[in-house]
């Protein structure tokens, strides 16, 4: 099992460019999440998906869109990147319900210049 | 924000010593989890404690939860250099439909000196 995989590992964008971060999991989890991690801020939830076909906003959704393509895949799109979106992005998945641990991908380090 | 706060922000100890880090949060919770993050990696789950539990052990880890003070502590006994990492607490206070939303703290950076 690969667990949670993310692509790309690194990306540099110019302000205004767009890109999609890809995430896939092979653990048959219903719930998937996108977080961003900034120094001194911990992890902040951008969007999550409790099941295929559903998505909900987290703490910091502005400037992002998501797609739950199927049970395995959950993508994050930046339509018009801004320097404030420079961050490390993590995808995670879990079983649905209370008390389940989240499994994290290795992260995507994004720099917007 | 529900976001937890870990204390201290950074901790440096000698190998073999115990490390204690604390987490405080703002609202009622269902569960509290601790995660570890090695430099440049994703987070890895360590232990979960439910709101009706006061203490839990897993190997060299001991977690306590005080819901009246809205705080938790993580104790790592007999630390090793390999324990060097950042440690985060996470609370799932909001249960939206069939999903659950996690709030992570800001983390404690632990350095264990060989």
């Amino acid at each position: 099992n690969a667990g949670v995989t993310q692509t790309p590992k690194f990306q540099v964008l110019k302000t205004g460019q767009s890109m999609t971060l890809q995430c896939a999991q092979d653990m048959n989890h219903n719930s998937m999440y996108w977080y961003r991690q900034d120094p001194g801020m911990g992890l902040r939830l951008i969007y999550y998906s409790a099941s295929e076909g559903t998505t909900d906003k987290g703490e910091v959704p502005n400037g992002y869109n998501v797609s739950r393509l199927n049970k395995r895949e959950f993508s994050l799109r930046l339509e018009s990147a801004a320097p404030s979106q420079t961050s490390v992005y993590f995808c995670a998945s879990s079983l649905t319900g209370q008390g389940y641990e989240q499994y994290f991908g290795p992260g995507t380090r994004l720099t917007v210049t | 924000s529900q976001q937890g706060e870990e204390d201290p922000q950074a901790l440096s100890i000698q190998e073999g010593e115990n490390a204690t880090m604390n987490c405080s949060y703002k609202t009622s919770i269902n569960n509290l989890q601790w995660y570890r993050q090695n430099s440049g990696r994703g987070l890895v789950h360590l232990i979960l404690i439910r709101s009706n539990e006061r203490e839990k052990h897993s190997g060299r880890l001991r977690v306590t939860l005080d819901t009246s003070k809205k705080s938790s502590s993580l104790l790592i006994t007999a630390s090793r250099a390999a324990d060097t990492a950042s440690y985060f607490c996470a609370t799932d206070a909001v249960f939206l439909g069939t999903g659950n939303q996690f709030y992570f703290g800001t983390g404690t950076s632990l350095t264990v000196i060989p």
Side-chain angles (χ1 to χ4, degrees):
Chain A
N1 283 356
V4 180
T5 57
Q6 290 182 239
T7 55
K9 285 188 167 46
F10 302 94
Q11 184 71 49
V12 179
L13 291 178
K14 288 185 169 33
T15 297
Q17 287 185 319
S18 63
M19 78 161 296
T20 300
L21 281 65
Q22 306 286 355
C23 173
Q25 52 92 10
D26 61 3
M27 294 174 282
N28 204 34
H29 288 162
N30 281 322
S31 293
M32 296 186 74
Y33 313 80
W34 276 106
Y35 293 92
R36 60 178 289 173
Q37 185 177 33
D38 302 293
M41 298 290 290
L43 271 78
R44 292 182 293 169
L45 183 66
I46 305 171
Y47 271 94
Y48 68 100
S49 170
S51 61
E52 185 180 347
T54 68
T55 60
D56 285 284
K57 296 178 180 178
E59 282 185 87
V60 289
N62 291 346
Y64 305 96
N65 285 303
V66 290
S67 295
R68 184 73 183 267
L69 304 168
N70 47 54
K71 191 171 186 178
R72 291 187 64 249
E73 298 172 290
F74 189 37
S75 63
L76 178 72
R77 182 159 178 85
L78 287 70
E79 290 291 351
S80 179
S84 60
Q85 294 178 305
T86 293
S87 188
V88 181
Y89 291 85
F90 289 98
C91 177
S93 72
S94 73
L95 292 170
T96 294
Q98 296 180 31
Y100 291 112
E101 66 182 273
Q102 293 192 333
Y103 292 81
F104 283 81
T108 294
R109 188 172 294 275
L110 174 67
T111 301
V112 183
T113 61
Chain B
S1 168
Q2 165 65 19
Q3 188 176 44
E5 299 259 343
E6 278 91 345
D7 172 56
Q9 286 190 327
L11 180 61
S12 184
I13 59 174
Q14 296 287 332
E15 202 165 31
E17 293 182 337
N18 295 341
T20 299
M21 51 206 88
N22 305 295
C23 167
S24 59
Y25 55 91
K26 295 180 182 176
T27 64
S28 297
I29 62 169
N30 298 311
N31 307 284
L32 186 142
Q33 303 184 31
W34 284 91
Y35 288 78
R36 184 186 71 211
Q37 183 181 34
N38 290 90
S39 182
R41 303 285 191 95
L43 279 71
V44 175
H45 181 262
L46 293 175
I47 193 166
L48 176 149
I49 187 164
R50 302 188 189 281
S51 59
N52 61 355
E53 297 176 313
R54 291 296 168 258
E55 188 171 311
K56 201 159 182 183
H57 296 253
S58 176
R60 294 185 295 113
L61 305 180
R62 173 178 169 254
V63 170
T64 61
L65 179 64
D66 187 334
T67 53
S68 66
K69 295 181 179 176
K70 293 186 170 60
S71 68
S72 174
S73 67
L74 172 67
L75 167 68
I76 304 173
T77 60
S79 63
R80 305 167 182 168
D83 294 327
T84 294
S86 291
Y87 292 81
F88 295 87
C89 66
T91 54
D92 59 342
V94 180
F95 190 73
L96 301 173
T98 57
N100 44 293
Q101 188 167 339
F102 286 75
Y103 291 92
F104 282 83
T106 50
T108 291
S109 177
L110 172 66
T111 301
V112 181
I113 303 165

